Amino acid sequence: MIRVLLIDDQPLIRSGFRALLELEDDIEVVAEAADGARGVELARAHRPDIALVDIQMPVVDGIEATRRIAADPALAGVHVVILTNYGLDEHVFDALRAGAAGFLVKDIHPEDFLHAVRVAARGDALLAPSITRKLIDRYVSRPPAPEVIAATAELTAREREVVVLVARGLSNNEIAAHLVISPLTAKTHVNRAMTKLHARDRAQLVVLAYESGLVIPRRA
């Protein structure tokens, strides 16, 4: 059972997501919060698999709530998915760096939303296609960050290769097939790269791949 926490200051949004999620046999909404501070408290109380978090909220916003959840070792199993109306802006990058596992725009189709919740629960990076495209575009003319380049120097050649494939959207099974290795070995390489780069999850690994220059984005 996938356990979900809803954190959004709009009751109508929360009720809509709850109604949709609770139609599914494998998903349970364990709690709701109308602000980030209460959301963090409920995350600690319920230890959900997924926290769906709005960015703009009173008391504590979604970015700070994400940062608090990501910084708590007891909540390492909580995958934060940011809900946004705005597409890509500085808030998106801030939340990714704070530890968000991914982003969804609120006008997403119901079937895509449900699929996304299940993907995030598996621990995979989750970026809406429109956000991924803008994320890539942002780094087209941006020079690599020196501190991130230094961090990637610790990676082995195989780990660098794996990080590039993660940034291209490949799952562990797809990476294994591409490199002709076992899925377990692929997962091990991904986990080691995340540890060396201090990435909480695959979404942060994607950002670091672009920031370091391991992946050179090109416009479509």
Side-chain angles (χ1 to χ4, degrees):
M1 182 70 70
I2 300 172
R3 304 172 72 251
V4 177
L5 168 63
L6 299 174
I7 309 175
D8 194 303
D9 64 328
Q10 299 180 53
L12 186 61
I13 294 293
R14 295 199 311 273
S15 62
F17 281 136
R18 175 184 278 275
L20 183 60
L21 292 167
E22 291 190 337
L23 288 174
E24 303 301 303
D25 294 335
D26 62 332
I27 301 175
E28 174 190 9
V29 177
V30 296
E32 297 181 21
D35 66 76
R38 180 59 177 158
V40 175
E41 292 176 359
L42 291 174
R44 289 170 177 154
H46 293 277
R47 309 288 176 86
D49 301 298
I50 302 293
L52 296 174
V53 181
D54 187 26
I55 288 182
Q56 302 289 348
M57 290 186 293
V59 186
V60 169
D61 65 23
I63 296 171
E64 179 59 27
T66 298
R67 185 175 293 110
R68 294 181 186 182
I69 291 172
D72 189 339
L75 301 181
V78 180
H79 304 289
V80 176
V81 176
I82 295 293
L83 299 169
T84 177
N85 289 318
Y86 309 108
L88 190 82
D89 57 20
E90 286 301 324
H91 296 305
V92 169
F93 292 101
D94 290 342
L96 275 173
R97 293 187 181 96
F103 285 83
L104 292 174
V105 288
K106 289 184 179 180
D107 62 357
I108 188 173
H109 292 295
E111 61 273 19
D112 293 333
F113 171 70
L114 294 171
H115 173 70
V117 168
R118 294 184 174 101
V119 168
R122 294 199 303 263
D124 291 336
L126 180 63
L127 299 174
S130 60
I131 290 176
T132 302
R133 179 67 258 167
K134 292 175 183 177
L135 175 69
I136 292 171
D137 286 346
R138 180 182 178 91
Y139 289 105
V140 167
S141 59
R142 179 172 174 171
E147 65 276 13
V148 180
I149 293 176
T152 56
E154 301 297 320
L155 300 177
T156 66
R158 177 61 86 183
E159 288 164 355
R160 286 169 174 262
E161 192 172 11
V162 166
V163 170
V164 170
L165 294 175
V166 170
R168 291 177 179 168
L170 273 65
S171 67
N172 287 347
N173 287 342
E174 291 168 334
I175 291 171
H178 183 84
L179 298 178
V180 195
I181 57 178
S182 72
L184 179 59
T185 300
K187 181 179 180 180
T188 298
H189 286 313
V190 171
N191 288 342
R192 286 176 177 169
M194 287 171 57
T195 298
K196 290 180 179 180
L197 296 177
H198 305 290
R200 187 173 190 261
D201 51 38
R202 296 173 79 100
Q204 285 191 317
L205 203 58
V206 171
V207 172
L208 289 167
Y210 286 107
E211 287 187 326
S212 66
L214 285 177
V215 175
I216 306 300
R218 294 175 295 179
R219 294 189 184 276

